[in-house]
Amino acid sequence: MNKVIIIGDDNVNTLGVIWNFSKKNIKVYLLIMGINHKLSVIKSRYVEKYWVCENTSSLIKQLHAIFEAENDKPVLIPTTDSSALIIDNNYDSLKEKYILPSINNVKGNIEMYMNKYNQFKLACNNNVKMAKTKVLDLRKKESITFPCILKPIVSAKGKKEDIRICNNSIEFEEAKKELLELNYTKILYQQFLTYCYEIDVSGFSYNGDVSIPGYIKKERIWPSGRGSTTFGIVKNIHGLDNIIDGIKNIMKQINYNGIFDIDIFVVKKDKEEIFYLNEINFRNGAIAYSYGESLISYYWYLSNINNKMFFSPSIKKDYYVINEQADLHNLFERKISLFRYLGDLRKSKIKMNFNIRDIKPCIYACLYKIFR
């Protein structure tokens, strides 16, 4: 049997993949990046074995030392941008022994399309709308309009905390100064869109086919303006034909084999909803677990080990989902009331941190936050 190896951090992205495979009675192997040994995901009863890797070199050495003698190729699943980048950068040395995500089976192509300006060009070539985008050299004077948002050009080489929203030239100059101090010389500039709501589209591609079982309408995020979903509604893709077709065309054009997680802004204009692609993440996202029995990571795994496409079951009926630990920030910051938090917690079918069948990761995550 092909082993499942998850490469990532101690977070809900990783935990969600563990729980997806647990529904098919498959235990996973973990390679956790970092030096922190207070890890909650390793407490899962569905983890067969784990290793903590301090750096890229250590991770690649572990892969070569532990799994290369397998008769059936193990499948690598990244749960962070940085782990997806590591796999991509080491594609040539891993491809003979592992099944792994790639774009057109070429080393470096995932990194190339992690570049948000390249995503902008890709969107334009496939008739998918995206906010006006360009790369700014922070050392030079450039003509820009406001409001705008400044982001790292490649997510894996930056941090969400480095994102800046600028409403005028004074805020822009202050942001530029801060970003230069953080050693950015170039940054991605995008027109800031005033949108009604955000949606998340997760799925996977294999051999020219694309599976998108549903989407999530984001009700709350954290941190405000640049964060991840903390509460939302999982829905069928009915009515989203244009943007879904555009995403499928993009994945087919670049010949992507892997799981993806895509943020989309929905802008209302003259009572019409217009969809703007915000960002493509070439890895499993935290929200993928919210797709319930669609089991996105499992069906990508199944497709690869059988050399044929297995589509994820589509979402049949709407339901709520909550990242109950992250949503506490919205409570503590008084963005929602305790009554609202408890009500949304109660009505959420899927909770990203709590699983009665596997309670230890939740308990340890709470303990480590309290006693860190």
Side-chain angles (χ1 to χ4, degrees), residues 116 149-152 155 159-165 175 178-179 182 184 187 225-227 279:
K116 293 184 179 67
I149 185 166
L150 307 178
K151 304 176 181 179
S155 296
K159 299 177 181 177
K160 278 192 174 182
E161 306 91 84
D162 299 339
I163 296 173
R164 300 288 187 273
I165 296 172
E178 292 172 356
L179 291 167
L182 291 169
Y184 287 94
I187 202 80
R226 62 175 186 268
E279 181 178 18

Side-chain angles (χ1 to χ4, degrees), residues 70-134:
E70 296 288 328
N71 291 325
D72 299 316
K73 285 185 177 183
V75 179
L76 304 184
I77 300 179
T79 58
T80 62
D81 292 321
S82 57
S83 58
L85 187 61
I86 290 168
I87 292 171
D88 186 52
N89 286 339
N90 291 275
Y91 179 79
D92 289 344
S93 66
L94 297 172
K95 65 181 179 181
E96 298 302 324
K97 298 292 184 178
Y98 297 92
I99 294 170
L100 61 164
S102 69
I103 290 178
N104 209 29
N105 302 309
V106 175
K107 171 187 173 181
N109 274 3
I110 288 180
E111 180 176 5
M112 180 172 70
Y113 285 110
M114 280 182 172
N115 182 306
K116 293 184 179 67
Y117 185 67
N118 288 336
Q119 291 185 13
F120 173 69
K121 292 189 289 185
L122 195 59
C124 292
N125 290 337
N126 286 277
N127 296 315
V128 174
K129 290 185 182 297
M130 198 167 175
K132 182 181 177 182
T133 302
K134 64 180 180 179

Side-chain angles (χ1 to χ4, degrees), residues 336-351:
I336 56 171
S337 66
L338 178 60
F339 180 79
R340 176 72 183 274
Y341 175 81
L342 292 175
D344 290 343
L345 181 66
R346 185 170 56 252
K347 70 183 180 183
S348 293
K349 178 181 176 181
I350 291 181
K351 298 166 180 65

Side-chain angles (χ1 to χ4, degrees), residues 135-142 176 180 185-187:
V135 176
L136 295 183
D137 189 329
L138 295 174
R139 298 160 298 183
K140 298 177 181 178
K141 284 190 175 182
E142 301 214 33
K176 187 164 81 166
L180 284 167
T185 55
K186 292 185 178 181
I187 202 80

